[in-house]
Amino acid sequence: MSVPPDLPPPYGGSQPPFQIPPQPQPETKKSKKWPWIAGAVVALLVVAGILGGRDKDDAKTTSAAPSSSSLQATTSAVTSRASVAPIVSSPTAAPAPPSSKVAEPTTTTYQAPAPVVTPTVAPAPARPQVSSGQRNAVRSAQQYIDMTAFSRSGLIEQLEYEGFSTEDATYAVDNLNADWNKQAALSAEQYLEMTSFSRSGLIEQLEYEGFTSAQAEYGANAVY
């Protein structure tokens, strides 16, 4: 449509032709596209994950299921092993079980040493003091016994006759340790050398000399 030139501006003169300005697009439509895109991407990822899981399960099932050939090989191997006699190894000795007993602590009992017992030695009896009279009486008694036969009582009387006391004479005769049976036999032999005697008479003579009855019989039996 043309505008007459005689009209005052803005409608007249060299004004450009009338144009309808473009209307702006609503922004709400552009913003709504992104959620759809995001949802599509998430859906693709979920589908891909499910498919991948199924592939893995199929692979596991395939690998786990033995093939018929492998089963046959295993069966033949088991049969061949069963036909061979197993080698039995000697059983190894089981280790001894550890002792459950706990070592009891040793207790040392102190024993006191035994007391040393010193044997008591009885002191030797003191030797009696020998007087000079006793020593002389012993010497005189030994000289008489060496010369002739004497009885015990007869020798004591002889020493008393010589002047020794009864105590000194008895001490001297008892310390001679003379065999009075032998003295009775010697005296009986001397009597028979001087004179004849019967056996009973000789026994009486020996008893008179101071010999005992037993000593007199011993002397008489020794010469008869």
Side-chain angles (χ1 to χ4, degrees), residues 147-181:
M147 290 186 299
T148 186
F150 280 93
S151 65
R152 178 180 180 274
S153 61
L155 186 56
I156 292 173
E157 291 177 358
Q158 182 64 32
L159 292 175
E160 288 176 348
Y161 180 80
E162 293 288 335
F164 293 102
S165 65
T166 305
E167 292 79 6
D168 292 343
T170 303
Y171 174 84
V173 172
D174 290 339
N175 280 275
L176 288 177
N177 296 322
D179 185 358
W180 303 116
N181 287 330

Side-chain angles (χ1 to χ4, degrees), residues 102-129:
V102 180
E104 297 180 357
T106 56
T107 57
T108 303
T109 303
Y110 174 77
Q111 294 182 354
V116 179
V117 178
T118 302
T120 303
V121 179
R127 297 182 62 181
Q129 296 294 329

Side-chain angles (χ1 to χ4, degrees), residues 37-184:
I37 296 172
V41 172
V42 172
L44 290 174
L45 292 175
V46 170
V47 173
I50 292 172
L51 294 176
R54 288 181 178 178
D55 294 339
K56 290 180 180 180
D57 292 339
D58 294 339
K60 290 181 179 180
T61 303
T62 304
S63 60
S67 61
S68 60
S69 60
S70 62
L71 287 175
Q72 292 177 359
T74 305
T75 304
S76 61
V78 170
T79 304
S80 61
R81 290 180 181 177
S83 61
V84 180
I87 300 175
V88 180
S89 59
S90 59
T92 57
S99 177
S100 60
K101 294 183 180 179
V102 180
E104 297 180 357
T106 56
T107 57
T108 303
T109 303
Y110 174 77
Q111 294 182 354
V116 179
V117 178
T118 302
T120 303
V121 179
R127 297 182 62 181
Q129 296 294 329
V130 180
S131 64
S132 58
Q134 291 173 343
R135 286 195 299 270
N136 292 328
V138 170
R139 187 180 301 112
S140 181
Q142 187 66 45
Q143 291 174 356
Y144 278 115
I145 286 291
D146 292 340
M147 290 186 299
T148 186
F150 280 93
S151 65
R152 178 180 180 274
S153 61
L155 186 56
I156 292 173
E157 291 177 358
Q158 182 64 32
L159 292 175
E160 288 176 348
Y161 180 80
E162 293 288 335
F164 293 102
S165 65
T166 305
E167 292 79 6
D168 292 343
T170 303
Y171 174 84
V173 172
D174 290 339
N175 280 275
L176 288 177
N177 296 322
D179 185 358
W180 303 116
N181 287 330
K182 182 179 179 180
Q183 293 296 318

